[in-house]
Amino acid sequence: MSNNDAFIILTGVSKHFGPVVAVDDINLTISGGEFFSLLGPSGCGKTTLLRMLAGFESPTSGEIFIDDAPMSEVPPYQRPTNMVFQNYAIFPHLNVRANIGYGLRYDKLSKAELDRRIDESLEMVKLPGFGTRRSEELSGGQRQRVALARALVKRPKVLLLDEPLGALDKKLREEMQLELRALQESVGITFIFVTHDQEEALTLSDRVAVMARGKALQVASPQQLYNCPVSIEVADFIGQMNFIDARVIEVEGERAVLEARGLGRVRAVASADFVRQGAQVVVAVRPEKLSLSYESSSDGRCSVQGEMKTAAYLGDRSHIYVTVDGCEKPLSVAAQEVESSSGQPIERGSEVWISWADESLVLLPVA
Amino acid sequence: MGDAQGGGANRMREVSYIERSNRPLHVYALMYLAFLYIPVLFLPLFSFNDAVYAAFPLKGFTTKWYEQMLASEPMFAALTNSIKVGATTALLATVLGIFGAKAVTRYRMPGKQPVVFVIMLPLVIPGIILGVALLILVTRLGINLSLYTVTLGHILISVPFAMATLIPRFEGFDKSMEEASADLGANAWSTFWRVTLPMVFPGVLASYLLCFTISFDEFIMAFFLAGTDPTLPIFIWGQLRFPLLLPRVLALGACILAVSFVLVFIAQWLARPGAIRSLDSRP
Amino acid sequence: MNIHRVNQATPGASLGIASVTSWRGKLRAVFLRSEAIRGYTLLSPTLVVMMFGMCAPFAIMVAVSFWTQHAFDFDTTFTLGRYQDVIDKPIYMALMLRSLAISGACTVVTVLLAYPMAYYVAFHVHRHKLIWIILMTLPFWTSYLLRVFAWKVILGFNGVINSGLKGLGLIEQPLEFLLYSPTAVVITLAHAWAAFAILPIYVSLEKIDRSLLEAATDLGDGPVKRFLGVTLPLSLPGIIAATLLIFIPTVGDYVTPALVGGPSGIMLANNIQAQFGKVNDWPMGAALAMAMMITVAVISVVYIWVTRKAAGRIV
């Protein structure tokens, strides 16, 4: 492949349905062999974008290139893409073998070769011996596997997946996530994966595009998305975050000093050029980057006093909500147990200190 | 503005690949509609033509066939008979249809499939067979042929249509509404009157109008089961033998077509999917 | 049903008011407990009317078909003579075959004409779908007699087509084959039964999940292959239903042959009607009706069986 780093290119792709703008000027470059996710709430345009890649919708403007070839004049049945549909779209009048072999009718294979390819793909999705079943005899997870096998047996250059795990229960979903990732690594082709589940997107992907209102808000690796979101919207969609209004007092190279509501004077990394002296910004911090104690911090970390209000038990951790004078909303602090770092249980209404490291504060533009 | 200028190409791009327009098919559909309607529309056309024979070229506009038709006593007698039979048939078939539709949609019953099959059977039994079988039965029982026997026959062929119209209505609204009513203390009867019936009412009305139309237009069974009192289709059948009366039949046919079209259109509109929702949103 | 019987047996075995009330209580409990019994109770008026309305006439018709007509009365001695006539007299066999041939042709023509229409509305009409459906089915609800009559006006010797063509100078003499021929019957029936073909086919097409069509496209099917590979097999139930809904009633039609069929278009039903009319041989008519029903039933069953088999073969 000559152009592996820019295997799929979208330039200015928009899609209008009458007055509704479903996809708004998307520019993306996806490399060969990448596991790329489109993440966003329903109606954000992610499925429309995927369907444009498959050819089921044509862009109102812009162009999609796959492997250097422009796609706008290529009908879906001639594209080097195959799709796993949200409801799997298993043909009900055909058995599993016939479903998988459906797309191979055009490859002029000998009977033996055809059988071998089908057996191989059944093996690959761990369904050997299911060939003669019909779709109504399969469980949700099995249908999903058949859909995968049917698409992959065509050996596409790009596999498109439209929320393929959405219909499965939580446990099965987690199992399939691992399998899907392993499958992608073994076949080595580009996967483009649509989901509204941020956890799923972070677990699976090499890179994620967070979408809202037809736009791509941020395209980045899961780590970058989590640690350095570019806007409140992205930060809010990926995990949980505390937001505090602040004003920039001064900027010194990479360092900024801010006056944050309730927190007082804080220091943070001046990440972008909207952090100017006198500018209003938002300080964002993850709950797990905050820690609780009964005493003010002594190791040079910033801290602020507040009152423990309530705690939400989440199994592997708890979120403790602490009201701080001047802060609009209680701050959420993640803790292993509902206890301070010194090991004493924290009771409702007790006075506590919240502390953090300067690097854990992220500065975001005001929405 | 750009959109408006883009015209067809843009509109084509709005629908997905599968639903892209197909011009030959569109033309075919319009031709098919023409095939369905044009033959029927010749009746009103020639009913205003000032000639005894229904043939081109048209001779001129006249309403005299309508005047002659309206002056015909036997026609009015037949019309009255048809309305009586139609109204009774529609009422009874719809009531039976409500019982049937509610039972079929609301209860798990073993053997439901074959039972529904039996009720729907008249849909596929040739009218002549049902007609002669009923004829034999009523004469063997010593019952005189009359409008009552016609009504009986018409009920048999109308119930399947009533059921077919009502079942989607019953399926279309949430069983939990009835359960909520029962939960709030209403007994079965008052739940039916105060919740179920208002919810399915568009369907009930649609069923009534459809059954009325079926009965009003039905000829084959009426032909065997009517005694000395003819229904309107039998009256028309009798008139067809006399070429000179043809224009009058055309006029009458045009009127019947118009009434049938209006009734059925209303019925179909009432029975449309989503009719319940519009009832819901009514303040 | 079993529970029912047990409960009916109880009052006979025990006397006294207490047990009677408890019997009523038990019955009430069974009634409230069993959804099936409540369901059938509610269904019973409809079911009774329909069962009686269908079974009684058919039973008596079967009986009459084994009798003999004597002037205005019946000789009720059992005889297979009428059925013998159905088989032996060539006229009946000829009429039967012609009826089957005409309805078969009419069924094929109607379904072929209706399929693209149903396809169009299912896949290419996006707005005002309901209006299209109503438009397609509206003529069906209007008087059958009048629709057939309209075709007589159109196809007639001095009808719309002949007078129109003559007026345009395209023909000298009226085209006689138009009216009073099996062709006229087929055309008229294809028009009259259109809705019975369109509706089931439309419903089965509408039910097809669009993503199945997209999946076929995604796997390499162009429009034609997609139609043959997915759309057509999945709409087969609609086609089968349409075929039966048209074939069965049209075999028994006599209005259309009587009005536009002419001598060569006369069908078996016209003869049955005559047996109950001017010929006045009711047992013969009943036997013919029975023969027609049995033939149609056998053909339908075989047809369903064959199409199911064929559908299974596609896999």
Side-chain angles (χ1 to χ4, degrees), chain A residues 56-126:
Chain A
F56 298 132
E57 313 282 354
S58 341
T60 312
S61 61
E63 181 61 277
I64 296 169
F65 297 87
I66 299 178
D67 203 6
D68 291 335
M71 285 291 127
S72 57
E73 301 299 317
V74 183
Y77 53 90
Q78 283 167 356
R79 294 197 180 196
T81 59
N82 280 113
M83 184 144 161
V84 175
F85 290 81
Q86 186 168 18
N87 61 358
Y88 314 136
I90 307 295
F91 301 122
H93 60 299
L94 302 176
N95 67 15
V96 168
R97 287 194 80 84
N99 261 285
I100 295 175
Y102 193 91
L104 296 176
R105 291 178 299 164
Y106 299 97
D107 295 2
K108 303 214 164 54
L109 301 174
S110 68
K111 178 86 176 77
E113 174 70 5
L114 184 72
D115 282 340
R116 198 184 56 76
R117 286 272 292 273
I118 293 173
D119 286 334
E120 243 176 45
S121 57
L122 278 171
E123 202 87 33
M124 181 175 66
V125 296
K126 300 182 179 156

Side-chain angles (χ1 to χ4, degrees), chain A residues 114-228:
Chain A
L114 184 72
D115 282 340
R116 198 184 56 76
R117 286 272 292 273
I118 293 173
D119 286 334
E120 243 176 45
S121 57
L122 278 171
E123 202 87 33
M124 181 175 66
V125 296
K126 300 182 179 156
L127 285 178
F130 280 73
T132 53
R133 302 242 186 140
R134 286 187 170 253
S135 76
E136 71 263 17
E137 298 168 327
L138 300 174
S139 70
Q142 288 166 342
R143 284 166 182 230
Q144 205 260 341
R145 286 159 196 260
V146 174
L148 258 174
R150 187 178 68 179
L152 284 173
V153 79
K154 287 277 288 175
R155 298 181 179 158
K157 292 177 180 170
V158 182
L159 185 73
L160 308 170
L161 302 106
D162 186 6
E163 304 225 14
L165 309 179
L168 308 180
D169 61 62
K170 192 170 157 51
K171 203 164 162 60
L172 192 56
R173 197 160 67 221
E174 281 165 7
E175 243 175 77
M176 283 308 297
Q177 283 173 8
L178 292 177
E179 272 187 46
L180 210 53
R181 184 71 229 211
L183 198 62
Q184 194 261 342
E185 273 158 18
S186 77
V187 293
I189 59 165
T190 310
F191 275 33
I192 299 183
F193 186 89
V194 159
T195 181
H196 65 267
D197 183 335
Q198 44 108 358
E199 218 172 291
E200 195 166 280
L202 297 186
T203 313
L204 285 170
S205 321
D206 294 320
R207 281 195 306 151
V208 179
V210 180
M211 292 185 66
R213 300 180 306 278
K215 291 183 193 298
L217 302 176
Q218 186 172 6
V219 183
S221 71
Q223 292 77 13
Q224 269 178 305
L225 271 185
Y226 193 80
N227 293 321
C228 312

Side-chain angles (χ1 to χ4, degrees), chain C residues 19 26 40 70 97 106 114-115 141 144 156 168 188 192 204 221 232 241 279-280 287 292 295-296 298 304 306 310 313:
Chain C
S19 71
K26 263 190 207 157
Y40 273 108
H70 276 298
L97 289 178
C106 147
Y115 196 97
W141 296 101
Y144 188 59
L168 292 170
T188 309
S204 67
D221 274 359
L232 189 62
V279 179
N280 194 30
M292 182 195 278
T295 313
V296 168
V298 168
I304 292 174
V306 167
R313 192 78 54 77

Side-chain angles (χ1 to χ4, degrees), chain B residues 122-205:
Chain B
L123 267 184
V124 290
I125 292 182
I128 186 167
I129 291 183
L130 209 51
V132 299
L134 279 167
L135 171 68
I136 298 172
L137 178 73
V138 295
T139 48
R140 290 309 292 172
L141 291 175
I143 301 168
N144 284 329
L145 294 177
S146 66
L147 292 180
Y148 292 108
T149 50
V150 177
T151 308
L152 174 69
H154 283 180
I155 289 173
L156 284 185
I157 54 167
S158 298
V159 167
F161 286 98
M163 292 271 285
T165 312
L166 286 163
I167 285 177
R169 290 295 90 188
F170 275 94
E171 276 171 351
F173 89 88
D174 201 340
K175 194 180 175 178
S176 62
M177 307 239 194
E178 289 175 320
E179 287 167 351
S181 163
D183 184 62
L184 294 170
N187 65 22
W189 191 238
S190 86
T191 294
F192 180 78
W193 277 111
R194 295 175 57 183
V195 178
T196 313
L197 200 58
M199 294 291 277
V200 297
F201 189 71
V204 171
L205 203 55

Side-chain angles (χ1 to χ4, degrees), chain A residues 222-288:
Chain A
Q223 292 77 13
Q224 269 178 305
L225 271 185
Y226 193 80
N227 293 321
C228 312
V230 297
S231 67
I232 296 181
E233 205 169 359
V234 174
D236 211 18
F237 196 70
I238 310 279
Q240 206 184 348
M241 231 170 177
N242 296 299
F243 299 110
I244 304 119
D245 292 334
R247 196 167 55 80
V248 181
I249 304 289
E250 61 174 325
V251 184
E252 250 184 50
E254 289 284 275
R255 298 234 143 239
V257 179
L258 307 100
E259 180 69 33
R261 282 175 71 176
L263 303 188
R265 215 151 262 232
V266 296
R267 285 182 299 278
V269 180
S271 49
D273 46 357
F274 66 87
V275 185
R276 285 187 311 271
Q277 194 166 346
Q280 281 292 331
V281 296
V282 172
V283 173
V285 58
R286 297 265 173 212
E288 67 271 20

Side-chain angles (χ1 to χ4, degrees), chain B residues 11 15-22 25-30 32-33 35-40 42-43 46 53-57 95-104 106-112 115 118-130 132-137 139-141 152 155-157 159-161 163 165 175 210 213-214 217 219-221 223-224 232-234 236-237 240 246 249-250 252-254 256-257 260-262 264-265 268-269 272-273, chain C residues 35-40 42-43 45-47 49-54 56-58 60-61 64 67 73-74 76 110 112-117 119-120 122-124 126-127 130-147 149-154 158-161 163-164 167 187 190-191 194-198 210 213-214 217 221-223 226 244-245 248-249 251-255 258-259 268-270 272-273 276 282 285-286 289-290 292-293 296:
Chain B
R11 216 170 312 133
V15 297
S16 71
Y17 172 80
I18 297 293
E19 290 169 331
R20 278 202 192 157
S21 66
N22 179 333
L25 204 57
H26 186 74
V27 172
Y28 178 86
L30 293 176
Y32 194 89
L33 274 189
F35 164 70
L36 282 184
Y37 280 86
I38 288 176
V40 175
F42 278 116
L43 296 185
F46 285 109
Y53 294 104
F56 284 114
V95 169
L96 290 175
I98 292 173
F99 279 121
K102 177 153 161 73
V104 167
R106 286 291 183 264
Y107 296 95
R108 275 182 302 252
M109 300 184 286
K112 190 194 282 184
V115 166
V118 167
I119 294 177
M120 292 296 181
L121 212 49
L123 267 184
V124 290
I125 292 182
I128 186 167
I129 291 183
L130 209 51
V132 299
L134 279 167
L135 171 68
I136 298 172
L137 178 73
T139 48
R140 290 309 292 172
L141 291 175
L152 174 69
I155 289 173
L156 284 185
I157 54 167
V159 167
F161 286 98
M163 292 271 285
T165 312
K175 194 180 175 178
L210 284 184
T213 317
I214 290 167
D217 289 334
F219 168 71
I220 295 182
M221 292 180 68
F223 179 82
F224 291 102
L232 205 52
I234 294 175
I236 294 173
W237 178 259
L240 290 180
L246 192 78
V249 176
L250 287 171
L252 179 57
I256 295 174
L257 284 178
S260 299
F261 269 68
V262 171
V264 172
F265 195 89
Q268 302 275 42
W269 190 252
R272 76 190 182 276
Chain C
E35 208 176 316
I37 292 177
R38 275 183 297 155
Y40 273 108
L42 191 61
L43 187 62
T46 316
L47 198 54
V49 169
M50 296 307 282
M51 289 286 244
F52 176 79
M54 310 270 288
F58 279 108
I60 195 96
M61 186 167 80
V64 169
W67 295 349
D73 206 355
F74 298 123
T76 58
T110 313
L112 283 181
L113 288 178
Y115 196 97
M117 183 71 197
Y119 185 91
Y120 175 77
F123 290 112
H124 294 290
H126 308 299
R127 265 175 279 172
L130 185 75
I131 299 283
W132 274 85
I133 296 168
I134 295 179
L135 271 180
M136 286 188 309
T137 49
L138 205 50
F140 166 76
W141 296 101
T142 60
S143 170
Y144 188 59
L145 187 62
L146 287 175
R147 276 178 290 147
F149 173 61
W151 279 102
K152 190 184 165 89
V153 169
I154 292 169
N158 273 315
V160 170
I161 293 182
S163 65
I187 295 175
H191 177 258
F196 267 34
I198 292 175
R210 297 304 184 264
L213 304 182
E214 291 183 340
T217 308
D221 274 359
R226 181 184 77 213
L244 292 177
L245 279 174
I248 298 175
V251 172
D253 192 22
Y254 74 88
V255 176
L259 282 178
L268 186 60
N270 302 81
I272 295 177
Q273 185 238 319
F276 286 91
W282 287 26
M290 287 304 299
M292 182 195 278
M293 263 207 353
V296 168

